[in-house]
Amino acid sequence: MMIATDYVILRGVRADAKIKIPLSRRPKRIATILDEAEFDRSNGAMVHNSSIFLEDRFHDWIYDDGRLSYYSRIALVADVLVVFEFTN
């Protein structure tokens, strides 16, 4: 199980490839939050299709030149988990 150890949550992100979100570090994983209370209770356990929905790099997001583009298809607007470090 992956545990997020260094992360931020971006609130109310619109799923649109044209929107560029500045990030100072390259993310290792991006996920759409489904149940933040469960994520918090589990101390950052990233449980796909339960607390979060893991997004695919290139297919749902890309990080380039300090900017994140998020274009998931599961929500038009979502809270997004940006994971910089995790453990297994």
Side-chain angles (χ1 to χ4, degrees):
M1 174 181 304
M2 291 186 295
I3 307 291
T5 57
D6 183 11
Y7 62 89
V8 296
I9 297 174
L10 304 178
R11 304 290 180 183
V13 177
R14 191 166 149 228
D16 185 339
K18 296 175 193 164
I19 298 172
K20 309 295 184 198
I21 302 164
L23 286 179
S24 60
R25 298 183 284 163
R26 179 178 299 278
K28 292 187 177 175
R29 299 281 184 172
I30 298 289
T32 300
I33 296 179
L34 301 176
D35 186 340
E36 189 171 349
E38 180 183 335
F39 177 77
D40 291 340
R41 275 192 305 276
S42 68
N43 294 314
M46 295 188 286
V47 182
H48 184 64
N49 281 334
S50 184
S51 60
I52 54 96
F53 185 90
L54 285 169
E55 302 290 358
D56 292 324
R57 186 171 170 227
F58 300 120
H59 192 262
D60 300 308
W61 66 275
I62 191 152
Y63 178 82
D64 185 42
D65 196 28
R67 296 176 297 173
L68 172 71
S69 294
Y70 167 84
Y71 38 93
S72 173
R73 295 172 320 279
I74 69 164
L76 295 175
V77 176
D79 292 338
V80 177
L81 178 67
V82 179
V83 180
F84 301 109
E85 295 294 333
F86 64 92
T87 61
N88 286 324

